Amino acid sequence: MDTRIDFYPTHQHQGYKLRPGRPVPFGATLVPGGVNFAICSRYATSCTLVLFEKGASTPLVEIPIPEVFRIGNTWCMVVFDLDYERIEYGYRMEGPWDPKAGHRFDASKILLDPYAKAIGGRDVWGEPPDWNDPYPHRARLIFEDFDWEDDRPLETPLADLVIYELHARSFTRHPSAGVKHPGTYAGLMAKIPYLKELGVNCVELMPIFEFDEFENSRPNPVTGETMYNYWGYSTVGFFAPKAGYAATGPLGMQVDEFKNLVKELHRNGIEIILDVVFNHTAEGNEHGPTLSFRGIDNQTYYMLTPEGYYFNFSGCGNTLNCNNPVVRMMVLDCLRYWAAEYHIDGFRFDLAAILGRDPWGAPMPNPPLLESLAFDPILAKCKLIAEAWDAGGLYQVGSFPAYGRWAEWNGKYRDDIRRFLKGDEGMIPALAQRLQGSPDLYGWNRRGPTASINFITCHDGFTLYDLFAYNYKHNEVNGEQNRDGGDDNHSWNCGAEGETDNSEVHALRQRMIKNALAILLMSHGVPMILMGDEAGRTQRGNNNTYCHDNDLNWFDWSLLERNTGLFHFARQMIAFRKTHPLLRAREHLGISAVQADFIWHGVHAWNADWSPGSRTVAFMLRERQAGQGGNTNPVLYMALNAYWDALPFQLPELPINYRWHLFANTALSSPHDIYEPGHEIPLEPYQDSFLVGGRAVVVLVGRP
Amino acid sequence: MAFSANLEMTGSEARITLEGELDAAVADQFRQTVERAAQEKPQKLVLFMDKLQFMASAGLRVLVFAKQRMGRDVAIYVIGATGPVLNTMQMSGFHQAVYLQESYP
């Protein structure tokens, strides 16, 4: 190999041996004897590679990339004999400073490579950085020698997933987690047995791309604590895992630790979806720092107004120009990298409606980025999930350009189920749509129920406990006089705002939580549970905890002891869903030629009350051949009563030899509220009605 | 403490005793020792780490290299790793690729 002519230096600079590089792949790539550096900029007039010893504040050397090494708009150079382990690199770009024309070049800044695969500078979470560092987020070189053995993405059918949304730090940071490395990928790995016990088969991690927890950090005017960019919805580097989430961050081994986490999740049958934020970056608007994109090619990477200011469809200061072909390529390269190199199973796109806007902000009917992702051969088996709205008012739930591939966070599911649960009138028709996998949204174009990611709570907004403990948001500790966070929570405090000693209120809240979990796990579509909802996690009424590194976000594991019954209920509901393929329909029943039916009932069998005053409905799920010709598959029945009093529900007749069995009844307290799937309690042979408690749901199984 | 890596061949076993701090500056020394061991085509590679105080990512990279250089059929034993050295291997997942033991006969 080393006899090849292209492995020999042709140039040198201050003793560093160089030769023209290869323009692709972008980023820094180890090649025999050296490192290939490649970066593009349309408007830069020169590019200098800046090398540092790890952590040093002054550069080791600055190597202007010879003009003869430039190919098109790409500067590429091989530097030989670098000590891979001890080098950090950045760039200086020269070019016009002309904000009106969209150019903000500033050669005094050292810029982070957008393709940096590991980033130093925030190696330990929350450790105050050197604010005078000329290069705060430092690109490092990585080895791609992880031993995956036979691991690969699991490719679990979307219809079979039960997603668990979690924050990598919050999950195990609380002292009660009892792990060796709290708040890290290693800590999360130690809790895999818990996830298995609960029964979820997919975790969706809130952002883990490198971000700066100190972005806009400030003392809390109310409590004095430091407030951080805690959730991390503000990317510094799209190709690098957050070092501060790695126990090995101080050793620079976050890449290995994260890959090890993925491998262990897969070994336990659990997929991993990443929440990715391509709508904006950590550079903010014209007052923000110049870290990377702004100094490399502002006009390419950002959506700009005709006057050269930043469009703000993200609500975060700037908007990534995703349908510029260069940016589009970066997004595609990034996702391919995570799929291929990290074995990631899927992606959830934050404020994805932005990805369908053209460079001037107008929504496109056929957005090239979304189409490229949908048809990409490397991402072909990855889940693609859109948060189908943005902060600029584009709301595309049900109409997101899907190309037969994209699923959506179903915001209408969240709102309709919440409103039904709290007892709003007129919700039964909408409830019926949501239970069936929202055919009103996803049936007309045959996207099927798996286009709908069903959730009642997510990181944005109330936890499930708080949904039934607070009528109003209580965000005072966010330091904005309670102005931040949404007001349309559709929540109900069950009779007392916040914590109370009233045991009736407490019991009702437990029941309401169980109602919600039961509906979520009985609905067609793909259920998503928010971290801790299975244990009654509270944020004390705060519905926007983006800035708190404390127990407002951390999962308090001692809740599992206090709320054993909730956990037990959630676990059995998940097990029930896994037991019954009827609940995991691939297609909408009644639209496609599927041999099973959704049959509607009410307090009277075969006769649902769809009127505006109704707060009750029941449904039966059955195969058309159930009970005939040797088919003994079960029939499922669910009665939902959001009325405040108990009501008798007449039960539909079962095939001969079948008998109803009680699986769940949220009107009863634990442990009589739910049974293990397969061990349900038989009803009396001729029992033809069931008294469903006020604000309760009942699930029955009909089987021989 | 100065780093050292001593190779000793015992029958079909290659035994390497590591001492001191294995960081990026000395990783290449370890790598060359592994390379010499590989040339002897051992059936087993035994790494004594009880006197190793620290292992940086560069050291782990050499372990990964050793695993690949020796091939799947050569078992790697890591003996006596404790404290930060053991932690590093566990968090990065390398412990699964080797046999971790407290002592070796």
Side-chain angles (χ1 to χ4, degrees):
Chain A
M1 279 285 273
D2 61 359
T3 56
R4 285 176 53 162
I5 191 167
D6 56 349
F7 294 160
Y8 286 95
T10 56
H11 293 61
Q12 68 159 312
H13 176 85
Q14 293 180 10
Y16 285 84
K17 295 174 195 160
L18 319 170
R19 69 168 291 119
R22 296 179 190 280
V24 285
F26 289 161
T29 311
L30 305 191
V31 294
V35 182
N36 186 71
F37 294 93
I39 187 168
C40 71
S41 170
R42 183 170 176 183
Y43 297 102
T45 52
S46 78
C47 177
T48 298
L49 176 69
V50 186
L51 297 178
F52 290 85
E53 281 269 13
K54 228 173 224 183
S57 56
T58 49
L60 184 64
V61 66
E62 302 207 12
I63 309 174
I65 301 181
E67 175 64 17
V68 69
F69 290 8
R70 179 176 59 77
I71 300 175
N73 292 331
T74 303
W75 276 268
C76 43
M77 171 168 75
V78 173
V79 184
F80 289 89
D81 302 329
L82 288 179
D83 187 344
Y84 312 144
E85 298 275 352
R86 294 201 280 185
I87 287 289
E88 291 171 331
Y89 73 97
Y91 293 98
R92 288 187 203 274
M93 294 275 186
E94 283 184 317
W97 172 267
D98 184 358
K100 269 194 170 174
H103 301 309
R104 292 175 183 267
F105 287 96
D106 178 355
S108 74
K109 307 282 188 194
I110 302 168
L111 306 166
L112 175 68
D113 179 1
Y115 282 68
K117 295 187 176 72
I119 299 175
R122 298 288 185 272
D123 300 341
V124 177
W125 173 277
E127 196 170 275
D130 171 8
W131 298 109
N132 297 316
D133 191 336
Y135 186 37
H137 302 282
R138 300 164 157 250
R140 290 181 180 166
L141 305 171
I142 66 150
F143 294 80
E144 295 183 345
D145 57 1
F146 185 75
D147 185 7
W148 284 102
E149 298 176 274
D150 295 328
D151 180 83
R152 62 167 202 154
L154 297 180
E155 299 181 11
T156 309
L158 196 49
D160 294 340
L161 285 192
V162 180
I163 302 173
Y164 188 79
E165 190 198 27
L166 65 83
H167 183 279
R169 179 171 168 81
S170 292
F171 193 52
T172 64
R173 175 58 188 83
H174 198 280
S176 62
V179 295
K180 197 168 172 188
H181 306 286
T184 64
Y185 305 131
L188 170 50
M189 201 167 77
K191 287 292 189 186
I192 289 175
Y194 171 79
L195 296 169
K196 278 188 88 170
E197 188 188 358
L198 178 60
V200 297
N201 56 12
C202 176
V203 288
E204 180 172 313
L205 266 55
M206 287 165 68
I208 58 93
F209 291 176
E210 185 64 38
F211 64 88
D212 181 7
E213 65 269 29
F214 286 98
E215 181 186 343
N216 200 25
S217 69
R218 58 211 183 276
N220 189 317
V222 182
T223 65
E225 273 183 296
T226 301
M227 296 202 295
Y228 295 95
N229 165 30
Y230 182 77
W231 282 353
Y233 285 86
S234 191
T235 311
V236 167
F238 293 96
F239 291 73
K242 172 90 184 126
Y245 284 164
T248 55
L251 300 172
M253 287 171 61
Q254 59 269 23
V255 170
D256 299 273
E257 188 175 323
F258 191 73
K259 287 178 177 174
N260 192 37
L261 167 64
V262 176
K263 187 174 161 187
E264 279 305 302
L265 285 165
H266 285 170
R267 202 195 288 268
N268 286 282
I270 299 172
E271 292 204 341
I272 174 167
I273 289 177
L274 299 184
D275 190 340
V276 294
V277 189
F278 287 112
N279 53 74
H280 71 285
T281 76
E283 293 186 306
N285 63 13
E286 59 276 9
H287 304 299
T290 296
L291 305 174
S292 176
F293 308 97
R294 192 198 313 278
I296 293 171
D297 211 350
N298 189 56
Q299 204 202 57
T300 294
Y301 284 105
Y302 292 115
M303 285 191 198
L304 301 172
T305 67
E307 300 77 27
Y309 292 102
Y310 294 86
F311 272 123
N312 187 15
F313 296 115
S314 65
C316 299
N318 65 49
T319 309
L320 202 65
N321 194 9
C322 281
N323 282 303
N324 172 292
V326 170
V327 186
R328 205 160 72 210
M329 187 163 62
M330 181 187 76
V331 173
L332 188 60
D333 285 346
C334 170
L335 296 172
R336 285 175 157 189
Y337 175 71
W338 286 95
E341 192 56 38
Y342 282 86
H343 295 196
I344 295 301
D345 300 277
F347 303 96
R348 176 268 186 193
F349 295 74
D350 187 59
L351 301 184
I354 285 183
L355 311 185
R357 289 182 184 266
D358 70 16
W360 300 274
M364 290 183 284
N366 195 22
L369 174 59
L370 301 181
E371 186 184 37
S372 311
L373 298 180
F375 292 99
D376 186 73
I378 294 168
L379 303 176
K381 301 287 192 285
C382 284
K383 280 84 182 171
L384 301 176
I385 302 169
E387 185 185 34
W389 53 84
D390 68 22
L394 188 56
Y395 191 80
Q396 296 182 305
V397 172
S399 63
F400 191 80
Y403 305 100
R405 281 276 278 126
W406 285 81
E408 298 172 6
W409 266 27
N410 188 343
K412 289 185 179 169
Y413 182 94
R414 175 197 56 206
D415 297 342
D416 288 340
I417 301 297
R418 286 180 176 198
R419 293 185 61 196
F420 167 75
L421 281 167
K422 74 193 264 277
D424 281 6
E425 287 186 323
M427 293 311 298
I428 299 301
L431 172 68
Q433 292 292 331
R434 304 303 150 244
L435 289 166
Q436 295 178 87
S438 297
D440 57 339
L441 301 173
Y442 307 113
W444 61 278
N445 51 5
R446 301 218 164 224
R447 288 172 67 186
T450 54
S452 177
I453 307 299
N454 294 334
F455 66 102
I456 299 171
T457 52
C458 65
H459 67 273
D460 261 325
F462 281 142
T463 65
L464 195 54
Y465 176 86
D466 288 354
L467 188 64
F468 302 114
Y470 294 92
N471 283 352
Y472 308 102
K473 68 182 182 189
H474 295 270
N475 297 1
E476 289 78 6
V477 290
N478 299 356
E480 296 179 50
Q481 288 85 42
N482 206 27
R483 278 180 281 112
D484 63 312
D487 291 309
D488 50 347
N489 299 297
H490 307 296
S491 65
W492 177 51
N493 67 18
C494 294
E497 187 75 355
E499 289 310 298
T500 172
D501 294 333
N502 186 320
S503 59
E504 277 182 42
V505 171
H506 181 70
L508 180 55
R509 286 176 182 170
Q510 296 277 316
R511 190 189 315 169
M512 295 297 278
I513 293 171
K514 290 177 191 172
N515 291 344
L517 288 169
I519 292 175
L520 181 64
L521 288 154
M522 291 292 289
S523 297
H524 283 177
V526 185
M528 183 178 82
I529 299 169
L530 172 63
M531 174 192 89
D533 277 355
E534 74 281 13
R537 189 173 77 85
T538 178
Q539 293 172 178
R540 300 196 282 280
N542 194 317
N543 73 355
N544 188 30
T545 57
Y546 70 100
C547 52
H548 300 289
D549 185 16
N550 58 33
D551 65 354
L552 280 177
N553 277 311
W554 302 344
F555 186 177
D556 176 355
W557 291 76
S558 69
L559 286 170
L560 284 164
E561 287 151 36
R562 272 172 278 159
N563 294 319
T564 324
L566 273 188
F567 176 76
H568 179 70
F569 188 89
R571 192 161 76 92
Q572 299 302 351
M573 279 308 313
I574 293 170
F576 191 74
R577 184 176 181 86
K578 285 181 168 171
T579 304
H580 295 288
L582 274 173
L583 296 173
R584 308 191 308 271
R586 269 66 175 161
E587 296 177 79
H588 284 118
L589 310 189
I591 292 181
S592 300
V594 183
Q595 296 302 310
D597 289 309
F598 237 102
I599 301 160
W600 296 99
H601 304 281
V603 291
H604 302 291
W606 312 103
N607 191 3
D609 180 359
W610 303 104
S611 69
S614 169
R615 292 187 178 87
T616 57
V617 78
F619 68 87
M620 183 164 72
L621 267 169
R622 59 175 287 178
E623 290 179 22
R624 288 184 196 149
Q625 299 302 319
Q628 299 171 36
N631 180 332
T632 57
N633 287 337
V635 173
L636 307 179
Y637 173 89
M638 184 180 197
L640 303 102
N641 181 16
Y643 188 61
W644 47 85
D645 274 335
L647 293 169
F649 278 63
Q650 188 189 9
L651 298 177
E653 244 178 64
L654 280 171
I656 297 170
N657 299 329
Y658 273 50
R659 189 166 159 185
W660 287 117
H661 295 68
L662 175 65
F663 168 64
N665 181 357
T666 62
L668 303 178
S669 15
S670 184
H672 306 293
D673 53 346
I674 198 159
Y675 297 90
E676 249 183 69
H679 296 85
E680 299 89 354
I681 303 296
L683 304 191
E684 293 302 317
Y686 300 104
Q687 184 173 339
D688 60 1
S689 83
F690 197 103
L691 187 67
V692 180
R695 302 187 195 280
V697 304
V698 163
V699 179
L700 306 179
V701 184
R703 55 179 159 82
Chain B
M1 185 182 166
F3 174 76
S4 69
N6 292 311
L7 170 66
E8 181 193 347
M9 289 301 301
T10 310
S12 59
E13 285 181 19
R15 298 180 171 200
I16 299 176
T17 305
L18 301 169
E19 287 189 44
E21 297 190 348
L22 175 46
D23 60 17
V26 296
D28 200 48
Q29 194 184 330
F30 179 29
R31 188 187 166 101
Q32 285 171 16
T33 311
V34 169
E35 190 62 58
R36 277 194 286 128
Q39 281 163 9
E40 302 288 333
K41 301 203 185 317
Q43 288 170 7
K44 235 186 217 184
L45 173 65
V46 188
L47 302 166
F48 293 92
M49 295 200 183
D50 51 315
K51 290 182 184 149
L52 191 64
Q53 290 147 352
F54 171 76
M55 180 166 55
S57 60
L60 191 100
R61 297 262 85 84
V62 179
L63 290 182
V64 175
F65 164 75
K67 178 80 181 160
Q68 289 168 0
R69 179 71 178 78
M70 297 283 174
R72 280 198 173 195
D73 298 334
V74 178
I76 299 182
Y77 286 73
V78 170
I79 312 302
T82 54
V85 174
L86 182 62
N87 264 346
T88 306
M89 287 200 288
Q90 285 173 337
M91 289 183 293
S92 57
F94 188 76
H95 66 297
Q96 291 163 354
V98 299
Y99 296 100
L100 278 179
Q101 289 180 194
E102 282 182 20
S103 59
Y104 194 75

